[in-house]
Amino acid sequence: MDLTRLTQGEKIAGVSGIALILIMFIFKWFGLKTGVAGFTVEGSRNAWGSYGFIDIVLFITVVAAVGLAALKASDSEVGLPVAASAVVAGLGILSVVLIIISLINPPDFGAGDISGIDHTRKIGVWLGLIAAAGIAYGGWRAMQEEGTSFGGEADRFRGPPDEPSVGPPPPPPPPPPPPSEAP
């Protein structure tokens, strides 16, 4: 494995992916605080305990980002239908959007509509947002360095423009009009 083969974007995506997985385990992301009968009760969780589905998306993003760097460093060819950097950039953007949504509307850990609960945002969610943004930027920069774009990757699915499109045959021409009767 030769790390000198990595472009700057692949390095950024790989390091950001490693940072995100560590942040997901080590740091608290969200907390709840409530006062019950004069007592204050607090609880907080990391990314794995805070989310029901978003943590899986973040993990897949980490695997893609670190996998991109590992594939390039080992000089392996996988034959993906799209560029791996485009997949990393797309997953990074999705992760950033999901984290921003959770910042706006934090998870409640099943507390539901109990009144008097304050949702707190811990340092982990902010660090996770930065790491996810790093993955998105690294994937985008890797795309730029290899000369790909989202539009170009979408065109790969459409095929070359000189090939006929696959689909049903055109409809038959309409029947000729009936001959007119002359008096």
Side-chain angles (χ1 to χ4, degrees):
M1 193 170 286
D2 185 11
L3 297 179
T4 60
R5 292 183 184 142
L6 296 177
T7 64
Q8 191 68 27
E10 294 160 351
K11 289 176 186 176
I12 292 170
V15 169
S16 296
I18 293 169
L20 181 58
I21 195 72
L22 292 174
I23 292 166
M24 288 175 69
F25 278 107
I26 296 172
F27 292 96
K28 301 296 182 191
W29 283 47
F30 294 100
L32 293 175
K33 182 166 62 168
T34 185
V36 178
F39 295 102
T40 301
V41 179
E42 291 187 43
S44 58
R45 295 184 177 175
N46 64 10
W48 297 104
S50 297
Y51 297 118
F53 175 70
I54 295 175
D55 54 350
I56 303 300
V57 174
L58 295 177
F59 180 73
I60 291 169
T61 303
V62 166
V63 169
V66 174
L68 169 68
L71 283 174
K72 294 290 182 157
S74 65
D75 200 26
S76 299
E77 292 293 326
V78 178
L80 296 173
V82 296
S85 58
V87 172
V88 170
L91 285 171
I93 292 167
L94 175 64
S95 296
V96 167
V97 168
L98 290 174
I99 292 172
I100 289 173
I101 289 171
S102 70
L103 282 167
I104 294 168
N105 185 18
D108 60 6
F109 314 134
D113 293 331
I114 299 173
S115 62
I117 292 182
D118 293 327
H119 292 86
T120 58
R121 292 150 188 92
K122 303 291 186 179
I123 188 71
V125 72
W126 301 105
L127 294 174
L129 179 62
I130 292 168
I135 292 171
Y137 174 71
W140 174 80
R141 184 159 176 179
M143 286 175 62
Q144 300 302 308
E145 292 165 344
E146 63 190 29
T148 60
S149 66
F150 287 119
E153 293 303 306
D155 289 342
R156 290 176 67 177
F157 286 114
R158 292 187 198 121
D162 56 345
E163 286 185 8
S165 62
V166 178
S180 63
E181 295 180 26

